[in-house]
Amino acid sequence: MSHLSTVEPSESLRHARRVARVGVIAALYAGLTLVSLLFLGSLAWGPVQFRVSEAVCVLALFTADAVPGLALGCAIANLANIVLSGTGMLGMLDVVFGSLATTLGAWFTWRNRRRPALALLGPVIANALIVPAYLPLMLQGIGFYTIPFTNIAIDGAYPAMYVFGLLATGAGEAVVMYALGLPLFRSLSRTTLARTLSAGEKNDLPDPAERG
């Protein structure tokens, strides 16, 4: 009994900290995504996606808790976007598959955290491959038939729209992850926050040689 009394509080505290980290990361991602949607509009949500909130995916370089945190934050933000954009039930495609892309990208980042430059390819590849697969269906459902800034119609051109989306979404994600995310990671890695986030993780911090 005495052994259990010394172990259980420690495990309980560790669990509470992990739940708190997941919640904070989810709130951060969701909040930044909604700000991006409000100020960037279709540039953060349409065929050309530039979500600055994706930069916080670098938190997966420090803690595995970022994976469920980012997934939850993405789901919350996409649910809120259903109300803001009026996509209705079609918006659930973004909730399900958009969150899946974020989850897979964050998981790849965590798994390759010792090599940050490679790890940040995870969100780029996941979003580039998955998001354009369902986005044309959503856009047609709300009467958005052309690619922004062009007269290229979406109707009847799903393969072309997918290829365009793959390139546009991938490029936008790459800019966010490497122009914003990588400098953010390097700044965070020099703070006590990095060690706080990675406390209790195996191979807690990425390779110092790649932190810049």
Side-chain angles (χ1 to χ4, degrees):
M1 293 294 291
S2 61
H3 175 69
L4 289 177
S5 65
T6 59
V7 174
E8 288 181 1
S10 177
E11 290 296 325
S12 177
L13 180 59
R14 185 178 297 109
H15 177 71
R17 285 175 176 172
R18 298 193 82 95
V19 170
R21 278 203 292 258
V22 169
V24 169
I25 292 171
L28 178 63
Y29 181 94
L32 289 175
T33 298
L34 291 176
V35 170
S36 297
L37 293 172
L38 289 172
F39 286 95
L40 295 179
S42 62
L43 286 178
W45 177 78
V48 181
Q49 296 212 356
F50 190 81
R51 285 193 184 186
V52 296
S53 55
E54 284 289 297
V56 301
C57 288
V58 300
L59 294 178
L61 290 167
F62 300 110
T63 175
D65 297 330
V67 179
L70 292 167
L72 178 60
C74 183
I76 292 171
N78 288 340
L79 281 170
N81 188 48
I82 292 177
V83 178
L84 295 174
S85 63
T87 55
M89 289 306 296
L90 281 172
M92 291 303 297
L93 290 171
D94 206 20
V95 174
V96 175
F97 295 104
S99 300
L100 175 63
T102 297
T103 303
L104 293 176
W107 176 83
F108 183 93
T109 299
W110 166 248
R111 293 288 295 178
N112 294 277
R113 61 193 178 280
R114 300 291 293 177
R115 302 171 65 186
L118 171 66
L120 296 189
L121 276 177
V124 176
I125 295 172
N127 281 278
L129 292 177
I130 295 175
V131 172
Y134 66 83
L135 196 58
L137 303 177
M138 289 179 57
L139 295 179
Q140 290 186 74
I142 61 174
F144 187 17
Y145 296 109
T146 60
I147 297 173
F149 314 118
T150 75
N151 292 319
I152 301 175
I154 295 173
D155 278 348
Y158 179 85
M161 189 59 191
Y162 179 79
V163 173
F164 174 83
L166 187 150
L167 296 175
T169 302
E173 188 76 9
V175 169
V176 171
M177 294 308 301
Y178 288 96
L180 298 179
L182 193 56
L184 175 62
F185 158 69
R186 288 171 174 164
S187 297
L188 289 176
S189 67
R190 299 186 178 97
T191 69
T192 57
L193 177 61
R195 296 196 177 278
T196 300
L197 287 172
S198 60
E201 305 284 3
K202 294 181 179 179
N203 300 321
D204 51 351
L205 288 175
D207 187 348
E210 295 204 33
R211 295 211 301 266

